[in-house]
Amino acid sequence: MLTSLLSCKDDKDDSPPPPQQVQTLSGADNAFARRITLFNLAQVDFGRLALANATNASIKAFGASLVGDFTQAQSDLNALALQNNVILPQETDSLHNANVRRLTDL
């Protein structure tokens, strides 16, 4: 038994951990993630408009569905972007803002 204890290798590993690999997306994937972010944010805005302005319960439910589904989709995309060092827009662009304003005025 003493022989087996003496022959055991020290399990302590003094070598440094391997460097973290930084993942990055291709230019096309990065652009796609940014476009999808704008789409997701716009859908959340449209859902909020439906919730605020609709009188029909089905339309309000659809609006709630838009908000919930696209908020979750954006949360998932944000996590992926963080893992890949991608900075995504935090608000919609002028085109989407114009569409929201147009629908608000209905």
Side-chain angles (χ1 to χ4, degrees):
M1 181 162 164
L2 182 58
T3 307
S4 64
L5 288 175
L6 292 175
S7 66
C8 286
K9 179 181 157 192
D10 186 351
D11 288 338
K12 186 176 178 187
D13 184 6
D14 291 330
S15 63
Q20 293 277 341
Q21 287 188 327
V22 176
Q23 296 179 342
T24 56
L25 296 179
S26 70
D29 287 340
N30 192 324
F32 179 75
R34 293 178 59 76
R35 282 193 306 268
I36 291 299
T37 293
L38 293 173
F39 179 79
N40 288 342
L41 295 173
Q43 295 305 309
V44 170
D45 286 344
F46 296 147
R48 288 183 180 143
L49 276 174
L51 283 168
N53 298 324
T55 56
N56 181 286
S58 295
I59 300 295
K60 284 187 177 277
F62 180 72
S65 171
L66 285 176
V67 171
D69 292 348
F70 286 96
T71 298
Q72 182 61 53
Q74 189 57 41
S75 178
D76 295 345
L77 184 56
N78 287 341
L80 180 65
L82 184 62
Q83 291 172 345
N84 289 280
N85 298 311
V86 173
I87 298 172
L88 297 174
Q90 298 300 306
E91 53 190 42
T92 55
D93 61 2
S94 58
L95 174 65
H96 290 98
N97 289 338
N99 287 333
V100 169
R101 277 193 305 275
R102 193 184 63 188
L103 290 172
T104 301
D105 293 340
L106 292 178

